[in-house]
Amino acid sequence: MVSAHWAGLRRRLAYVTAGVLLCGVLSPVGGTAHAAETWSPRSSYTSTDNGDGTYSVPLLRSDVPDISVERVPAAENDEGRDIYYMISTTMHLSPGAPIMKSYDLVNWEIVNYVFDRASIGDSFSLRNGGNSYGQGQWASSLRYHDGTFYVAFNTNNLGGAYIYRTDDVENGAWQRTPLGRGLHDPSLFFDVDGTPYIFYGSGGTSAVRLNADLTAIEQDYPDIFTAGDYAGQPFIGGLFEGAQFYYIDGYYYAVIITWPSGQGRQVVMFRSTELLGRYTSTGGVNTYVARGVLNSNGFAQGSLVPIATADGGTDWHGMFFRDTFPIGRIPALIPATWSDGWPVFGTNGVVPVGGVFDKPIRLSAAEELFQRQKSIVVSDDFANDAPHKAYQDEQWTIPTPPPIDDSLIGVELLDNAGFESGALTPWSAQYGATLNLDSTDPASGPTALRVSNRTLNGSGPNQFLNGKMQHGVTYTVSAKVKYTSGPASVRFNLVADWGSGVQVMAAGDVPAGQWTTVTGRYTVPATANLANYKFAVETPWANPQPPSSTVEYLLDDVSIVGQPSTIEHPTEAEIAPNGSRLDMAWEWNHAPDNRYWSLTDRDGWLRLTNGKVVTGEYVYTKLSNRAELAWFEEARNTLSQRTFGPRQSAETRMDISAMRDGDVAGIAAYNRGFSYAAVKRVDGVNTLGVVNRGQPFAVDLDQATLETFLPGTTVALGDATEVHLKADLDFAAPTGQLWTTFYYSLDGLSWTPLGDRVGPQTLDGSLAHFMGHRVGLFTYATETTGGHVDFDHYLLSDTLTAQGQPLRTADLDAAIGYAATLRAADYPADAWAAMRAALDDAVAARAGQFGTQNQIDAPERALSYQLARLGVLRLDVPALVSVTTSSRCLAKKVQLVVHLTGAASSRATGTVTSPYGTKEYGVQPDASKVRTFPTGAASIPAGEVTVTATARVDGTPVSTTVTVPYDARVCQ
């Protein structure tokens, strides 16, 4: 974490104690001159605060989409100043729905998560073929009302919308309430009388009224206003979603993102004096007036943000994100000028990318310096010293595995599967198709089924399997298909429908003119309604209907056969906390299996263990074409952080000695498209290399071929048991693409590139992941479980090797030098201890050798954070004793004399420590005491004494420590 000890770096570097703490004052370090006055740390990697009262947009330089911002006024919190919290979309990541905190709306840190897991089901756990890529948690709304924090968000595949609540947004546990249905892009809103609503929708804005305790929906208000109500307006177009509602000066305002044809994404605002518009207006007319308020460089969806003014009023700014892939969707704080109740954002409606604005909230110089050190990405040494958070103790009820009827396993479940009974039954036609038995060209046997008169993608045959299918059972699903007229190739889907939307069980591309077998495996989820389970054959949906929707085809030898159970069921051990605590910048790629990762198995290392073997049978459940996942995407327990732009370097060190044959482990820059450097173990031999998966993305994959090392990137590691890897990510050459260069080292000092840079990685138009690229540490097994890899550290920098810059230690030296000027007595003990730990690590690192800028920047960033934190925690402790020193000669030997005078309002007690011993004392207010130290020497050098003092001030115990110098003395 940001304040952690760089133990891993110390293990490689020679540890030399170059500084010691004497009498509460830090001595100079290692004899090296450090100019303390030059310490002026840069803003963090995710801060665009320029340090001069201005900031640049967009903020954060990282993927923080679908933001919702809420203010807690000074009068309603314990800190006595306005506090802002922000939430974002994290989809399939765990923990999810991060709570970020800021005092100035520019600098942010993650302080909590709403949930550890959005679900313990297969889809959020990469279990039994399930996944939530591009789905999961979307578009949260964060609100504070009557002392309680509420979060509403929708899940695209996990049961619809949920409301979470807590009375402690930073440290508290969250209570979860399912609403039982989907609410697209929900915006929670409390009316002026406290009535709670959720506004939602795409293409139009609807609402539901909740009951008083926000546990159920009481009333629906569909289509309060729609895009069609504003036909012809230049700002109306696609999306028309992400509405967030506010009440300002007698008007209800809605903020919505739109995307007119041929234009960029933009912000449209709607206002009305009637919250529910046509539902409460005379004559049922739409009461919302619309106006385009921002059309500049794609800054769009987000929040209005209230900011207190000096005269007691409120200004409203915008916090809108901008698509900046492959980094992601990045938010921007955009000032607004209001006139006649409407805002104009930016400078006369213009918001340049990289534009500079004045900060709307100013803090003290020390506070602003500290805020600039906060970040949503961190270097880490995996010391297991992150604070415990309540979300980590989330409680789940482990479901009992469903009973399996073995008589339905291994047998054909479809009746008349080969259409040889002489009749169509029990097959039926749907969506207008015509079904006939056809003996002209069967795939086998005397007849096939001819499907004709198709007008829709769903037009085709179906058969109900009520009572035959079983929860948790995996089925082999197949059919032979042939068509002769139409596109050169058509994709056919074998689907299930139990009333909750069509689920693709198997899919395949069929070329014209030849019988082709479409086959796949499908696990029936626990949510399936087995009493209304329809199997059907379809072609993919599109709007408008594609040519494949009218293709006439033959169908034969359809089959659904249940397989003996190999199903993974959730267990208590998989979900229960394992005693390891990661920094909150980390998120898992889907919910982790806590049995197979640890920060405690080996002190100071992250251990990832392979608990399952990849299958190659996972598909994107979000995509209608059921495109397959790569092995890397199937791997569970990939640990990741956001990337940041425009350039980022991430370094790690791996112990690969416990890998097993077939294991693959390394560091990745990933989305659906990914690049990684990894070690593969084959027949007992470890080889290092690079994999790059770019577009276009194939639907059917040969995973082994896809993840074969690129020519010119492989290195035989021989008997090496450790390897250092570095990934340099360049988002700026050119903008809109990610190119990654990987390096390796066997000692951390001498580095070699693994081939040329790889890429480009760009936005996946299918939105299969729909998030910015992330950096991940991973391992997966292709043959057997049980192998593991240990990661020693994760070191960040914004300097790339390819930039050709010499290693720079000036910032690290300045931080170490500044620390030498501070006194322990001036700061709280815990903050001082945290700074000392960071200082010890920085000093140890500086005493050794450096091989990368990452190895310099990581300890410097950690130390600068702690030093800046001290700057806002400096104690204003009253003097408890006044101390002076003198010396005298007695029998030609020097005696050191310490004079103490009580300066507090009560008796002070403490100790006086000199190089010649320690003595206790007690002194009343305005009284004096003397403590004498015989030195036994005829001369002494100049030095210092340390005096501790404890007294009661206004009834409260207060302690201080002071150091006082004394002069050299010679007795003749």
Side-chain angles (χ1 to χ4, degrees), residues 266-307:
Q266 52 195 268
V267 180
V268 178
M269 286 182 62
F270 302 77
R271 78 175 191 184
S272 169
T273 57
E274 301 276 349
L275 175 64
L276 298 176
R278 56 171 50 99
Y279 287 94
T280 55
S281 67
T282 302
V285 299
N286 174 32
T287 62
Y288 276 87
V289 178
R291 181 176 294 187
V293 294
L294 180 60
N295 180 12
S296 181
N297 289 306
F299 291 98
Q301 186 174 339
S303 290
L304 295 183
V305 183
I307 300 172

Side-chain angles (χ1 to χ4, degrees), residues 674-689:
F674 55 78
S675 310
Y676 67 68
V679 177
K680 292 184 181 180
R681 185 174 177 88
V682 178
D683 296 330
V685 176
N686 290 331
T687 303
L688 176 64

Side-chain angles (χ1 to χ4, degrees), residues 674-676 680 688-693 705-715 742 754-759:
F674 55 78
S675 310
Y676 67 68
K680 292 184 181 180
L688 176 64
V690 172
V691 168
N692 184 66
R693 182 198 190 187
T705 300
L706 176 69
E707 299 190 45
T708 298
F709 288 150
L710 296 174
T713 70
T714 58
V715 176
F742 293 98
L754 288 166
D756 297 327
R757 69 175 191 165
V758 293

Side-chain angles (χ1 to χ4, degrees), residues 26 34-39 813-822 827 867-868 871:
L26 289 173
H34 300 292
E37 66 274 14
T38 65
W39 178 69
D813 291 340
I816 293 172
Y818 177 73
T821 69
L822 306 181
Y827 306 99
L867 291 171

